[in-house]
Amino acid sequence: MNIYFQLFKTFFEIGAFTIGGGYAMLSMVERSVVQKKKWMTKDDFWDMIVVVQTIPGVFAVNTALYTGYRIKGMKGAICAALGAIIPSFVIICLVAMFFVEIRDNTIVERIFKGIRPCVVALILAPALQMVKSAKITLKTAVIPIGAVFLVWWCDVSPVYVIVASALGGVLIGAYSYYRISSK
Amino acid sequence: MIYLELIYVFFKIGVFGFGGGYAMISLIQFEVVDHFHWMTMQEFADILAISQITPGPISINTATYVGFNTAGILGATVATLALCLPSVVLMLFVIRFLFANIENRYVQYVFSGLRPAIVGLIFAAALLLMNTENFPDAGIGKNNFSIVICAATFIASYFYKVNPVLLIVLAGACGFLISS
């Protein structure tokens, strides 16, 4: 089988069968890319995760791009990325086509009345888990609280919050490094 | 021009979308609901739910859905590709030049600021979804059925790690049985 097609197919399967987004698909990528296809070693895989988490964008697409690029350069990257994108693209186009029509149906409306508050909780839960994993202390708590206040209350674009917090991180980091090294 | 607007918005989301799916929710919400009014907060909650129960990343799903609803198949294609384009460019750059230095001091500094901010952005996204469109029966003297579902889901997800797909199905069933 052509290597481009293999890349496409592997990520198509990952894209079609992982429900629950980025991190849910990690183990599936590991299984097919490291164990089955042997496209990279386990160490390479974890290096990739570091890179993929560092750059912005869609986690699944970044993983596909990275793997494809490692194996077959730019063309490989594009084939793998298209494989990752196409399943959800097709599914959502179908949903968009029919959902608009059935949305006002009373049964669907009743079902979604139950689902909407559920979704809100499904966003709150990981946010609270991240409070632990991001090692937020009393001192650094001002950053997430400030972000909530600006975006929720003051309608500030999250883009500004992201840029400001990245800059702030660099300034504070560089300053404390300078202070330690000048002692 | 709608296509240019779609490209602009989703390219921007691709550039600033650090920290994965949940972190991108607030970016998408700001542009798509607050700024361009391409969908209501209620529709946004619906598409989040659909994203959770269908395979594929939330950001791709929203880009495709918004693109399709505003400008058909071509709009969906344009929005989805615009979302991924920054990744393609960055990935080439990262793999070629930055790869050896990814554990670089400055990269660490950037993330020491970004990580806590992203937590805040996710909270903001959840708070913005807590409006009367998504919680129509909340308030004193009303039955507060939506609050009960939200609280129950939170407990099941946070403390008992119940599968989100199952929770959405259960919440949908409750909605069907109880609401009017």
Side-chain angles (χ1 to χ4, degrees):
Chain A
M1 213 181 354
N2 184 313
I3 183 77
Y4 295 110
F5 182 70
Q6 277 190 42
L7 278 167
F8 178 85
K9 187 174 158 264
T10 302
F11 281 94
F12 186 91
E13 281 170 4
I14 293 167
F17 295 110
T18 40
I19 296 179
Y23 296 95
M25 77 167 206
L26 264 185
S27 68
M28 201 159 160
V29 175
E30 207 256 351
R31 207 175 317 133
S32 48
V33 170
V34 181
Q35 293 175 21
K36 256 173 68 189
K37 299 280 181 188
K38 303 211 180 347
W39 279 331
M40 48 176 91
T41 64
K42 204 148 188 161
D43 284 347
D44 287 343
F45 177 78
W46 288 111
D47 281 347
M48 167 172 85
I49 300 306
V50 174
V51 175
V52 163
Q53 281 180 319
T54 309
I55 65 171
V58 189
F59 191 75
V61 175
N62 289 348
T63 309
L65 282 169
Y66 187 100
T67 311
Y69 193 87
R70 283 278 308 257
I71 294 160
K72 271 287 169 204
M74 199 55 200
K75 264 206 227 154
I78 301 291
C79 289
L82 283 178
I85 295 167
I86 286 174
S88 40
F89 182 82
V90 172
I91 291 168
I92 296 298
C93 280
L94 291 174
V95 167
M97 261 182 245
F98 298 111
F99 188 59
V100 181
E101 283 162 38
I102 59 160
R103 226 182 142 230
D104 298 323
N105 173 299
T106 43
I107 295 173
V108 176
E109 177 55 28
R110 275 163 66 180
I111 292 172
F112 271 87
K113 262 192 187 159
I115 288 178
R116 283 173 203 133
C118 164
V119 167
V120 175
L122 288 179
I123 297 171
L124 270 181
L128 215 60
Q129 257 141 23
M130 279 178 79
V131 171
K132 280 192 247 160
S133 64
K135 300 195 182 73
I136 291 171
T137 58
L138 270 180
K139 219 165 124 192
T140 54
V142 67
I143 302 171
I145 292 170
V148 168
F149 180 74
L150 287 171
V151 173
W152 182 46
W153 243 175
C154 312
D155 269 341
V156 170
S157 166
V159 168
Y160 296 128
V161 174
I162 287 167
V163 172
S165 62
L167 279 178
V170 170
L171 287 178
I172 293 171
Y175 176 71
S176 42
Y177 184 81
Y178 168 78
R179 270 205 4 197
I180 292 165
S181 56
S182 64
K183 262 178 195 168
Chain B
M1 233 304 256
I2 183 70
Y3 297 113
L4 287 180
E5 281 179 349
L6 285 170
I7 291 172
Y8 167 72
V9 165
F10 285 100
F11 187 83
K12 191 156 93 179
I13 293 168
V15 170
F16 292 100
F18 288 96
Y22 286 109
M24 283 163 101
I25 291 176
S26 98
L27 276 168
I28 301 171
Q29 198 176 43
F30 182 84
E31 298 291 343
V32 169
V33 182
D34 288 353
H35 200 77
F36 282 94
H37 307 291
W38 282 327
M39 51 165 82
T40 62
M41 208 51 103
Q42 197 180 51
E43 263 183 289
F44 189 66
D46 293 350
I47 192 67
L48 287 179
I50 291 168
S51 293
Q52 298 258 21
I53 48 177
T54 58
I58 291 177
S59 44
I60 298 265
N61 290 352
T62 335
T64 307
Y65 187 83
V66 169
F68 190 92
N69 274 353
T70 47
I73 286 275
L74 189 58
T77 311
V78 159
T80 309
L81 291 182
L83 176 71
C84 301
L85 189 60
S87 295
V88 176
V89 177
L90 270 170
M91 192 52 92
L92 288 177
F93 181 72
V94 164
I95 291 180
R96 285 209 178 134
F97 308 104
L98 262 178
F99 181 52
N101 306 317
I102 204 73
E103 311 241 14
N104 175 303
R105 221 172 63 218
Y106 284 94
V107 175
Q108 304 290 333
Y109 294 160
V110 165
F111 276 86
S112 69
L114 271 180
R115 235 173 268 124
I118 284 168
V119 174
L121 290 181
I122 302 175
F123 273 111
L127 287 171
L128 283 168
L129 284 165
M130 288 184 183
N131 61 4
T132 49
E133 284 174 43
N134 295 326
F135 292 82
D137 59 0
I140 298 158
K142 298 183 183 169
N143 61 15
N144 288 303
F145 155 68
S146 54
I147 306 264
V148 174
I149 289 195
C150 186
T153 309
F154 181 83
I155 292 166
S157 172
Y158 186 77
F159 293 105
Y160 299 99
K161 313 274 180 264
V162 180
N163 184 319
V165 179
L166 178 66
L167 290 173
I168 289 179
V169 171
L170 287 176
C174 290
F176 175 70
L177 293 173
I178 308 169
S179 78
S180 47

